[in-house]
CSV table of all heavy atoms in Angstrom, one decimal:
chain,number,residue,atom,x,y,z
J,1,MET,N,-39.1,-31.8,-26.6
J,1,MET,CA,-38.2,-30.7,-26.7
J,1,MET,C,-36.9,-31.1,-27.5
J,1,MET,O,-36.3,-30.2,-28.1
J,1,MET,CB,-37.8,-30.3,-25.2
J,1,MET,CG,-37.0,-29.0,-25.2
J,1,MET,SD,-37.0,-28.4,-23.5
J,1,MET,CE,-35.9,-27.0,-23.8
J,2,ASN,N,-36.6,-32.4,-27.5
J,2,ASN,CA,-35.4,-32.8,-28.2
J,2,ASN,C,-35.9,-33.1,-29.7
J,2,ASN,O,-36.5,-34.1,-30.0
J,2,ASN,CB,-34.8,-34.1,-27.6
J,2,ASN,CG,-33.5,-34.4,-28.3
J,2,ASN,OD1,-33.0,-33.7,-29.1
J,2,ASN,ND2,-33.0,-35.6,-27.9
J,3,SER,N,-35.6,-32.1,-30.6
J,3,SER,CA,-36.0,-32.3,-31.9
J,3,SER,C,-34.8,-32.6,-32.8
J,3,SER,O,-33.8,-31.9,-32.8
J,3,SER,CB,-36.7,-31.0,-32.4
J,3,SER,OG,-35.8,-29.9,-32.4
J,4,GLY,N,-34.9,-33.7,-33.6
J,4,GLY,CA,-33.9,-34.0,-34.5
J,4,GLY,C,-32.6,-34.6,-33.9
J,4,GLY,O,-32.6,-35.2,-32.9
J,5,SER,N,-31.6,-34.4,-34.6
J,5,SER,CA,-30.3,-34.9,-34.2
J,5,SER,C,-29.6,-34.0,-33.2
J,5,SER,O,-29.6,-32.8,-33.3
J,5,SER,CB,-29.4,-35.1,-35.5
J,5,SER,OG,-28.1,-35.5,-35.1
J,6,ASN,N,-29.0,-34.6,-32.2
J,6,ASN,CA,-28.3,-33.9,-31.2
J,6,ASN,C,-26.8,-34.1,-31.3
J,6,ASN,O,-26.4,-35.2,-31.6
J,6,ASN,CB,-28.8,-34.4,-29.8
J,6,ASN,CG,-28.4,-33.4,-28.7
J,6,ASN,OD1,-27.7,-32.5,-28.9
J,6,ASN,ND2,-28.8,-33.7,-27.5
J,7,PHE,N,-26.0,-33.0,-31.1
J,7,PHE,CA,-24.6,-33.1,-31.2
J,7,PHE,C,-24.0,-34.1,-30.2
J,7,PHE,O,-23.1,-34.8,-30.5
J,7,PHE,CB,-24.0,-31.7,-31.0
J,7,PHE,CG,-22.5,-31.7,-31.0
J,7,PHE,CD1,-21.8,-31.9,-32.1
J,7,PHE,CD2,-21.8,-31.5,-29.8
J,7,PHE,CE1,-20.4,-31.9,-32.1
J,7,PHE,CE2,-20.4,-31.4,-29.8
J,7,PHE,CZ,-19.7,-31.6,-30.9
J,8,TYR,N,-24.6,-34.1,-29.0
J,8,TYR,CA,-24.0,-35.0,-28.0
J,8,TYR,C,-24.4,-36.5,-28.1
J,8,TYR,O,-24.0,-37.3,-27.4
J,8,TYR,CB,-24.5,-34.5,-26.6
J,8,TYR,CG,-23.9,-33.1,-26.3
J,8,TYR,CD1,-24.6,-32.0,-26.4
J,8,TYR,CD2,-22.6,-33.0,-25.9
J,8,TYR,CE1,-24.1,-30.7,-26.2
J,8,TYR,CE2,-22.0,-31.8,-25.7
J,8,TYR,CZ,-22.7,-30.7,-25.8
J,8,TYR,OH,-22.2,-29.4,-25.6
J,9,ASP,N,-25.2,-36.8,-29.1
J,9,ASP,CA,-25.6,-38.2,-29.4
J,9,ASP,C,-24.6,-38.8,-30.5
J,9,ASP,O,-24.8,-39.9,-30.8
J,9,ASP,CB,-27.0,-38.3,-29.9
J,9,ASP,CG,-28.0,-38.0,-28.8
J,9,ASP,OD1,-27.6,-38.1,-27.6
J,9,ASP,OD2,-29.1,-37.6,-29.1
J,10,LYS,N,-23.7,-38.0,-31.0
J,10,LYS,CA,-22.8,-38.5,-32.0
J,10,LYS,C,-21.3,-38.6,-31.4
J,10,LYS,O,-20.6,-37.6,-31.4
J,10,LYS,CB,-22.8,-37.6,-33.2
J,10,LYS,CG,-24.1,-37.4,-33.8
J,10,LYS,CD,-24.1,-36.5,-34.9
J,10,LYS,CE,-25.5,-36.4,-35.5
J,10,LYS,NZ,-25.6,-35.3,-36.5
J,11,PRO,N,-21.0,-39.8,-31.0
J,11,PRO,CA,-19.7,-39.9,-30.3
J,11,PRO,C,-18.5,-39.7,-31.2
J,11,PRO,O,-17.4,-39.2,-30.7
J,11,PRO,CB,-19.6,-41.4,-29.8
J,11,PRO,CG,-20.7,-42.1,-30.5
J,11,PRO,CD,-21.7,-41.1,-31.0
J,12,LYS,N,-18.6,-40.0,-32.5
J,12,LYS,CA,-17.5,-39.7,-33.4
J,12,LYS,C,-17.1,-38.2,-33.5
J,12,LYS,O,-16.0,-37.8,-33.5
J,12,LYS,CB,-17.8,-40.3,-34.8
J,12,LYS,CG,-16.6,-40.3,-35.7
J,12,LYS,CD,-16.9,-41.0,-37.0
J,12,LYS,CE,-15.7,-41.1,-37.9
J,12,LYS,NZ,-16.0,-41.8,-39.2
J,13,LYS,N,-18.2,-37.4,-33.6
J,13,LYS,CA,-18.0,-36.0,-33.7
J,13,LYS,C,-17.4,-35.4,-32.4
J,13,LYS,O,-16.6,-34.5,-32.4
J,13,LYS,CB,-19.3,-35.2,-34.0
J,13,LYS,CG,-19.6,-35.3,-35.5
J,13,LYS,CD,-20.8,-34.3,-35.7
J,13,LYS,CE,-21.0,-34.3,-37.2
J,13,LYS,NZ,-22.1,-33.3,-37.6
J,14,LEU,N,-17.9,-36.0,-31.3
J,14,LEU,CA,-17.3,-35.5,-30.0
J,14,LEU,C,-15.8,-35.8,-29.8
J,14,LEU,O,-15.1,-35.0,-29.4
J,14,LEU,CB,-18.1,-36.2,-28.8
J,14,LEU,CG,-19.5,-35.6,-28.5
J,14,LEU,CD1,-20.2,-36.6,-27.5
J,14,LEU,CD2,-19.4,-34.3,-27.9
J,15,ILE,N,-15.4,-37.0,-30.3
J,15,ILE,CA,-14.0,-37.4,-30.2
J,15,ILE,C,-13.2,-36.5,-31.1
J,15,ILE,O,-12.1,-36.0,-30.7
J,15,ILE,CB,-13.9,-38.9,-30.6
J,15,ILE,CG1,-14.5,-39.8,-29.5
J,15,ILE,CG2,-12.4,-39.3,-30.7
J,15,ILE,CD1,-14.6,-41.2,-29.8
J,16,ILE,N,-13.7,-36.3,-32.3
J,16,ILE,CA,-12.9,-35.4,-33.3
J,16,ILE,C,-12.8,-34.0,-32.7
J,16,ILE,O,-11.7,-33.4,-32.8
J,16,ILE,CB,-13.6,-35.5,-34.7
J,16,ILE,CG1,-13.4,-36.8,-35.3
J,16,ILE,CG2,-13.0,-34.4,-35.6
J,16,ILE,CD1,-14.2,-37.1,-36.5
J,17,TRP,N,-13.9,-33.4,-32.2
J,17,TRP,CA,-13.8,-32.1,-31.7
J,17,TRP,C,-13.0,-32.0,-30.5
J,17,TRP,O,-12.3,-31.0,-30.2
J,17,TRP,CB,-15.2,-31.5,-31.4
J,17,TRP,CG,-15.9,-31.0,-32.7
J,17,TRP,CD1,-16.9,-31.5,-33.3
J,17,TRP,CD2,-15.5,-29.8,-33.4
J,17,TRP,NE1,-17.2,-30.8,-34.4
J,17,TRP,CE2,-16.4,-29.7,-34.5
J,17,TRP,CE3,-14.5,-28.8,-33.2
J,17,TRP,CZ2,-16.3,-28.6,-35.4
J,17,TRP,CZ3,-14.4,-27.8,-34.1
J,17,TRP,CH2,-15.3,-27.7,-35.2
J,18,GLY,N,-13.0,-33.1,-29.7
J,18,GLY,CA,-12.1,-33.1,-28.5
J,18,GLY,C,-10.7,-33.0,-28.9
J,18,GLY,O,-9.9,-32.3,-28.3
J,19,ILE,N,-10.3,-33.8,-29.9
J,19,ILE,CA,-8.9,-33.8,-30.3
J,19,ILE,C,-8.5,-32.4,-30.9
J,19,ILE,O,-7.4,-31.9,-30.7
J,19,ILE,CB,-8.6,-34.9,-31.4
J,19,ILE,CG1,-8.8,-36.3,-30.6
J,19,ILE,CG2,-7.3,-34.8,-32.0
J,19,ILE,CD1,-8.8,-37.5,-31.6
J,20,VAL,N,-9.4,-31.8,-31.7
J,20,VAL,CA,-9.2,-30.5,-32.3
J,20,VAL,C,-9.0,-29.5,-31.2
J,20,VAL,O,-8.0,-28.7,-31.3
J,20,VAL,CB,-10.4,-30.1,-33.2
J,20,VAL,CG1,-10.3,-28.6,-33.5
J,20,VAL,CG2,-10.4,-30.9,-34.4
J,21,PHE,N,-9.8,-29.5,-30.1
J,21,PHE,CA,-9.6,-28.5,-29.1
J,21,PHE,C,-8.4,-28.7,-28.2
J,21,PHE,O,-7.8,-27.8,-27.8
J,21,PHE,CB,-10.9,-28.5,-28.1
J,21,PHE,CG,-12.0,-27.6,-28.7
J,21,PHE,CD1,-13.2,-28.2,-29.1
J,21,PHE,CD2,-11.9,-26.2,-28.7
J,21,PHE,CE1,-14.2,-27.4,-29.6
J,21,PHE,CE2,-12.9,-25.4,-29.2
J,21,PHE,CZ,-14.1,-26.0,-29.6
J,22,ILE,N,-8.0,-30.0,-28.0
J,22,ILE,CA,-6.7,-30.2,-27.3
J,22,ILE,C,-5.6,-29.7,-28.1
J,22,ILE,O,-4.7,-29.1,-27.6
J,22,ILE,CB,-6.6,-31.8,-27.0
J,22,ILE,CG1,-7.6,-32.2,-26.0
J,22,ILE,CG2,-5.2,-32.1,-26.6
J,22,ILE,CD1,-7.7,-33.7,-25.8
J,23,ILE,N,-5.5,-30.0,-29.4
J,23,ILE,CA,-4.4,-29.5,-30.2
J,23,ILE,C,-4.4,-28.0,-30.3
J,23,ILE,O,-3.4,-27.3,-30.2
J,23,ILE,CB,-4.5,-30.1,-31.7
J,23,ILE,CG1,-4.3,-31.6,-31.6
J,23,ILE,CG2,-3.6,-29.4,-32.6
J,23,ILE,CD1,-4.5,-32.3,-32.9
J,24,LEU,N,-5.6,-27.4,-30.4
J,24,LEU,CA,-5.7,-25.9,-30.4
J,24,LEU,C,-5.2,-25.3,-29.1
J,24,LEU,O,-4.6,-24.3,-29.1
J,24,LEU,CB,-7.2,-25.5,-30.6
J,24,LEU,CG,-7.5,-24.0,-30.6
J,24,LEU,CD1,-6.9,-23.4,-31.9
J,24,LEU,CD2,-9.0,-23.8,-30.6
J,25,GLY,N,-5.5,-26.0,-28.0
J,25,GLY,CA,-5.0,-25.5,-26.7
J,25,GLY,C,-3.5,-25.5,-26.6
J,25,GLY,O,-2.9,-24.5,-26.1
J,26,PHE,N,-2.9,-26.6,-27.1
J,26,PHE,CA,-1.4,-26.6,-27.1
J,26,PHE,C,-0.8,-25.6,-28.0
J,26,PHE,O,0.2,-25.0,-27.7
J,26,PHE,CB,-0.9,-28.0,-27.4
J,26,PHE,CG,-1.0,-29.0,-26.2
J,26,PHE,CD1,-1.9,-30.0,-26.3
J,26,PHE,CD2,-0.3,-28.7,-25.1
J,26,PHE,CE1,-2.0,-30.9,-25.2
J,26,PHE,CE2,-0.4,-29.6,-24.0
J,26,PHE,CZ,-1.2,-30.7,-24.1
J,27,VAL,N,-1.5,-25.4,-29.2
J,27,VAL,CA,-1.0,-24.4,-30.1
J,27,VAL,C,-1.1,-23.0,-29.5
J,27,VAL,O,-0.2,-22.2,-29.6
J,27,VAL,CB,-1.7,-24.5,-31.5
J,27,VAL,CG1,-1.5,-23.3,-32.3
J,27,VAL,CG2,-1.4,-25.7,-32.2
J,28,LEU,N,-2.2,-22.7,-28.8
J,28,LEU,CA,-2.3,-21.4,-28.1
J,28,LEU,C,-1.3,-21.2,-27.1
J,28,LEU,O,-0.8,-20.1,-26.8
J,28,LEU,CB,-3.7,-21.3,-27.5
J,28,LEU,CG,-4.9,-20.9,-28.4
J,28,LEU,CD1,-6.2,-21.0,-27.6
J,28,LEU,CD2,-4.7,-19.5,-28.9
J,29,CYS,N,-0.9,-22.3,-26.4
J,29,CYS,CA,0.2,-22.2,-25.4
J,29,CYS,C,1.5,-21.8,-26.0
J,29,CYS,O,2.3,-21.1,-25.4
J,29,CYS,CB,0.3,-23.5,-24.6
J,29,CYS,SG,-1.0,-23.8,-23.5
J,30,PHE,N,1.8,-22.3,-27.2
J,30,PHE,CA,3.1,-22.0,-27.8
J,30,PHE,C,3.0,-20.6,-28.4
J,30,PHE,O,4.1,-19.9,-28.5
J,30,PHE,CB,3.4,-23.0,-28.8
J,30,PHE,CG,3.9,-24.3,-28.2
J,30,PHE,CD1,3.2,-25.5,-28.5
J,30,PHE,CD2,4.9,-24.4,-27.4
J,30,PHE,CE1,3.6,-26.7,-28.0
J,30,PHE,CE2,5.3,-25.6,-26.8
J,30,PHE,CZ,4.6,-26.8,-27.1
J,31,ILE,N,1.9,-20.2,-28.9
J,31,ILE,CA,1.8,-18.9,-29.6
J,31,ILE,C,1.7,-17.7,-28.6
J,31,ILE,O,2.4,-16.7,-28.7
J,31,ILE,CB,0.6,-18.8,-30.5
J,31,ILE,CG1,0.8,-19.8,-31.7
J,31,ILE,CG2,0.3,-17.4,-31.0
J,31,ILE,CD1,-0.4,-19.9,-32.6
J,32,THR,N,0.9,-17.9,-27.5
J,32,THR,CA,0.7,-16.8,-26.5
J,32,THR,C,1.3,-17.2,-25.2
J,32,THR,O,1.6,-18.4,-25.0
J,32,THR,CB,-0.8,-16.5,-26.4
J,32,THR,OG1,-1.4,-17.7,-25.8
J,32,THR,CG2,-1.5,-16.2,-27.7
J,33,ASP,N,1.4,-16.3,-24.3
J,33,ASP,CA,1.9,-16.6,-23.0
J,33,ASP,C,0.7,-16.7,-22.0
J,33,ASP,O,0.9,-16.7,-20.8
J,33,ASP,CB,2.8,-15.5,-22.5
J,33,ASP,CG,4.2,-15.6,-23.2
J,33,ASP,OD1,4.5,-16.7,-23.7
J,33,ASP,OD2,4.9,-14.6,-23.3
J,34,TYR,N,-0.5,-16.6,-22.5
J,34,TYR,CA,-1.7,-16.6,-21.6
J,34,TYR,C,-2.0,-18.1,-21.2
J,34,TYR,O,-2.2,-18.9,-22.1
J,34,TYR,CB,-2.9,-15.9,-22.2
J,34,TYR,CG,-2.6,-14.5,-22.6
J,34,TYR,CD1,-2.7,-14.1,-24.0
J,34,TYR,CD2,-2.3,-13.6,-21.7
J,34,TYR,CE1,-2.4,-12.8,-24.3
J,34,TYR,CE2,-2.0,-12.2,-22.0
J,34,TYR,CZ,-2.1,-11.9,-23.4
J,34,TYR,OH,-1.8,-10.6,-23.7
J,35,GLY,N,-2.2,-18.3,-20.0
J,35,GLY,CA,-2.5,-19.7,-19.6
J,35,GLY,C,-4.0,-20.0,-19.6
J,35,GLY,O,-4.3,-21.2,-19.7
J,36,VAL,N,-4.8,-19.0,-19.4
J,36,VAL,CA,-6.2,-19.3,-19.2
J,36,VAL,C,-6.8,-19.8,-20.5
J,36,VAL,O,-7.6,-20.8,-20.5
J,36,VAL,CB,-7.0,-18.0,-18.7
J,36,VAL,CG1,-8.4,-18.2,-18.7
J,36,VAL,CG2,-6.4,-17.6,-17.4
J,37,PRO,N,-6.6,-19.2,-21.7
J,37,PRO,CA,-7.2,-19.7,-22.9
J,37,PRO,C,-6.7,-21.1,-23.2
J,37,PRO,O,-7.5,-22.0,-23.7
J,37,PRO,CB,-6.8,-18.8,-24.0
J,37,PRO,CG,-6.5,-17.5,-23.3
J,37,PRO,CD,-6.0,-17.9,-22.0
J,38,CYS,N,-5.5,-21.4,-22.9
J,38,CYS,CA,-4.9,-22.7,-23.1
J,38,CYS,C,-5.6,-23.7,-22.3
J,38,CYS,O,-6.0,-24.8,-22.7
J,38,CYS,CB,-3.4,-22.7,-22.8
J,38,CYS,SG,-2.4,-21.6,-23.7
J,39,GLY,N,-5.8,-23.4,-21.0
J,39,GLY,CA,-6.4,-24.3,-20.1
J,39,GLY,C,-7.9,-24.6,-20.4
J,39,GLY,O,-8.4,-25.7,-20.3
J,40,ILE,N,-8.6,-23.5,-20.9
J,40,ILE,CA,-10.0,-23.7,-21.3
J,40,ILE,C,-10.1,-24.6,-22.5
J,40,ILE,O,-10.9,-25.5,-22.6
J,40,ILE,CB,-10.6,-22.3,-21.5
J,40,ILE,CG1,-10.8,-21.5,-20.2
J,40,ILE,CG2,-12.0,-22.4,-22.2
J,40,ILE,CD1,-11.2,-20.1,-20.4
J,41,ALA,N,-9.2,-24.3,-23.5
J,41,ALA,CA,-9.3,-25.1,-24.7
J,41,ALA,C,-8.9,-26.6,-24.5
J,41,ALA,O,-9.6,-27.5,-24.9
J,41,ALA,CB,-8.4,-24.6,-25.8
J,42,ILE,N,-7.9,-26.8,-23.7
J,42,ILE,CA,-7.5,-28.2,-23.4
J,42,ILE,C,-8.5,-28.9,-22.5
J,42,ILE,O,-8.9,-30.0,-22.7
J,42,ILE,CB,-6.1,-28.2,-22.7
J,42,ILE,CG1,-5.0,-27.8,-23.7
J,42,ILE,CG2,-5.8,-29.6,-22.2
J,42,ILE,CD1,-3.7,-27.5,-23.1
J,43,GLY,N,-9.1,-28.2,-21.6
J,43,GLY,CA,-10.2,-28.7,-20.7
J,43,GLY,C,-11.4,-29.1,-21.5
J,43,GLY,O,-12.0,-30.1,-21.3
J,44,LEU,N,-11.8,-28.2,-22.4
J,44,LEU,CA,-13.0,-28.4,-23.2
J,44,LEU,C,-12.7,-29.6,-24.1
J,44,LEU,O,-13.6,-30.5,-24.3
J,44,LEU,CB,-13.3,-27.2,-24.0
J,44,LEU,CG,-14.6,-27.2,-24.9
J,44,LEU,CD1,-15.8,-27.3,-24.0
J,44,LEU,CD2,-14.7,-25.9,-25.7
J,45,GLY,N,-11.5,-29.7,-24.7
J,45,GLY,CA,-11.2,-30.8,-25.6
J,45,GLY,C,-11.2,-32.1,-24.8
J,45,GLY,O,-11.7,-33.1,-25.3
J,46,GLY,N,-10.7,-32.1,-23.6
J,46,GLY,CA,-10.7,-33.3,-22.8
J,46,GLY,C,-12.1,-33.7,-22.4
J,46,GLY,O,-12.4,-34.9,-22.4
J,47,ALA,N,-12.9,-32.8,-22.1
J,47,ALA,CA,-14.3,-33.1,-21.8
J,47,ALA,C,-15.1,-33.7,-23.0
J,47,ALA,O,-15.8,-34.7,-22.9
J,47,ALA,CB,-15.1,-31.8,-21.3
J,48,TYR,N,-14.9,-33.1,-24.2
J,48,TYR,CA,-15.6,-33.6,-25.4
J,48,TYR,C,-15.0,-35.0,-25.7
J,48,TYR,O,-15.8,-35.9,-26.1
J,48,TYR,CB,-15.3,-32.7,-26.6
J,48,TYR,CG,-16.3,-31.5,-26.7
J,48,TYR,CD1,-16.0,-30.5,-27.5
J,48,TYR,CD2,-17.4,-31.4,-25.9
J,48,TYR,CE1,-16.9,-29.4,-27.6
J,48,TYR,CE2,-18.2,-30.4,-25.9
J,48,TYR,CZ,-18.0,-29.4,-26.8
J,48,TYR,OH,-18.8,-28.3,-26.9
J,49,PHE,N,-13.7,-35.2,-25.6
J,49,PHE,CA,-13.1,-36.4,-25.9
J,49,PHE,C,-13.6,-37.5,-25.0
J,49,PHE,O,-13.9,-38.6,-25.4
J,49,PHE,CB,-11.5,-36.3,-25.9
J,49,PHE,CG,-10.8,-37.5,-26.3
J,49,PHE,CD1,-10.7,-37.8,-27.6
J,49,PHE,CD2,-10.2,-38.3,-25.4
J,49,PHE,CE1,-10.0,-38.9,-28.1
J,49,PHE,CE2,-9.4,-39.4,-25.8
J,49,PHE,CZ,-9.4,-39.7,-27.1
J,50,SER,N,-13.6,-37.2,-23.7
J,50,SER,CA,-14.1,-38.3,-22.7
J,50,SER,C,-15.6,-38.6,-22.9
J,50,SER,O,-16.0,-39.7,-22.7
J,50,SER,CB,-13.7,-37.8,-21.3
J,50,SER,OG,-14.4,-36.7,-21.0
J,51,MET,N,-16.4,-37.6,-23.2
J,51,MET,CA,-17.8,-37.8,-23.4
J,51,MET,C,-18.0,-38.7,-24.7
J,51,MET,O,-18.8,-39.6,-24.7
J,51,MET,CB,-18.6,-36.5,-23.6
J,51,MET,CG,-18.9,-35.8,-22.4
J,51,MET,SD,-20.1,-34.4,-22.6
J,51,MET,CE,-19.1,-33.3,-23.6
J,52,GLY,N,-17.2,-38.4,-25.7
J,52,GLY,CA,-17.3,-39.2,-26.9
J,52,GLY,C,-16.9,-40.7,-26.7
J,52,GLY,O,-17.6,-41.6,-27.1
J,53,LEU,N,-15.8,-40.9,-26.0
J,53,LEU,CA,-15.4,-42.2,-25.7
J,53,LEU,C,-16.4,-42.9,-24.8
J,53,LEU,O,-16.7,-44.1,-25.0
J,53,LEU,CB,-14.0,-42.2,-25.0
J,53,LEU,CG,-12.8,-41.9,-25.8
J,53,LEU,CD1,-11.6,-41.9,-25.0
J,53,LEU,CD2,-12.7,-42.9,-27.0
J,54,HIS,N,-17.0,-42.2,-23.8
J,54,HIS,CA,-18.0,-42.8,-23.0
J,54,HIS,C,-19.2,-43.3,-23.7
J,54,HIS,O,-19.7,-44.4,-23.5
J,54,HIS,CB,-18.3,-41.8,-21.9
J,54,HIS,CG,-19.3,-42.4,-20.8
J,54,HIS,ND1,-20.6,-42.3,-20.9
J,54,HIS,CD2,-19.0,-43.1,-19.7
J,54,HIS,CE1,-21.2,-42.9,-19.9
J,54,HIS,NE2,-20.2,-43.4,-19.2
J,55,LYS,N,-19.7,-42.4,-24.6
J,55,LYS,CA,-20.9,-42.7,-25.4
J,55,LYS,C,-20.6,-43.8,-26.4
J,55,LYS,O,-21.5,-44.6,-26.8
J,55,LYS,CB,-21.4,-41.5,-26.1
J,55,LYS,CG,-22.0,-40.5,-25.2
J,55,LYS,CD,-23.0,-39.7,-25.9
J,55,LYS,CE,-23.7,-38.8,-24.9
J,55,LYS,NZ,-25.0,-39.4,-24.4
J,56,LYS,N,-19.3,-43.9,-26.9
J,56,LYS,CA,-19.0,-44.9,-27.9
J,56,LYS,C,-18.8,-46.3,-27.3
J,56,LYS,O,-19.3,-47.3,-27.9
J,56,LYS,CB,-17.7,-44.5,-28.7
J,56,LYS,CG,-17.4,-45.4,-29.8
J,56,LYS,CD,-16.3,-44.8,-30.7
J,56,LYS,CE,-16.1,-45.7,-31.9
J,56,LYS,NZ,-15.2,-45.1,-32.8
J,57,TYR,N,-18.2,-46.4,-26.2
J,57,TYR,CA,-17.8,-47.7,-25.6
J,57,TYR,C,-18.6,-48.1,-24.4
J,57,TYR,O,-18.7,-49.3,-24.1
J,57,TYR,CB,-16.3,-47.7,-25.3
J,57,TYR,CG,-15.4,-47.6,-26.5
J,57,TYR,CD1,-14.7,-46.5,-26.7
J,57,TYR,CD2,-15.4,-48.6,-27.4
J,57,TYR,CE1,-13.9,-46.4,-27.9
J,57,TYR,CE2,-14.7,-48.5,-28.6
J,57,TYR,CZ,-13.9,-47.4,-28.8
J,57,TYR,OH,-13.1,-47.3,-29.9
J,58,ILE,N,-19.2,-47.2,-23.7
J,58,ILE,CA,-20.0,-47.5,-22.5
J,58,ILE,C,-21.4,-47.0,-22.8
J,58,ILE,O,-21.7,-45.8,-22.7
J,58,ILE,CB,-19.5,-46.9,-21.2
J,58,ILE,CG1,-18.1,-47.4,-21.0
J,58,ILE,CG2,-20.4,-47.3,-20.1
J,58,ILE,CD1,-17.4,-46.7,-19.9
J,59,LYS,N,-22.3,-47.8,-23.2
J,59,LYS,CA,-23.7,-47.4,-23.5
J,59,LYS,C,-24.7,-47.5,-22.4
J,59,LYS,O,-24.8,-48.2,-21.6
J,59,LYS,CB,-24.2,-48.1,-24.8
J,59,LYS,CG,-23.3,-47.7,-26.0
J,59,LYS,CD,-23.8,-48.3,-27.2
J,59,LYS,CE,-22.9,-47.8,-28.3
J,59,LYS,NZ,-23.3,-48.2,-29.6
């Protein structure tokens, strides 16, 4: 069922996307007054960032 390259098998992309979503979350917090999109973006970025670090350094 796993065909080809998987996004979650590339730790460098996970780390980069994690940083992008964290920055996007903080930008959303400054632009809007809504807390939910900010929290979702920062949480998603933190999850991607931590998955990438885990796959890169703990195999």
Side-chain angles (χ1 to χ4, degrees):
M1 189 166 177
N2 188 5
S3 62
S5 175
N6 193 356
F7 175 71
Y8 294 102
D9 291 336
K10 299 177 180 174
K12 188 174 182 180
K13 280 191 176 182
L14 283 171
I15 293 170
I16 291 170
W17 278 109
I19 293 170
V20 166
F21 276 113
I22 290 172
I23 292 171
L24 179 71
F26 282 115
V27 168
L28 278 174
C29 287
F30 288 120
I31 292 175
T32 65
D33 289 334
Y34 303 118
V36 176
C38 302
I40 291 172
I42 292 171
L44 186 63
Y48 279 168
F49 186 73
S50 63
M51 280 191 296
L53 287 180
H54 185 268
K55 290 206 175 266
K56 186 171 184 171
Y57 294 112
I58 302 172
K59 293 184 180 189

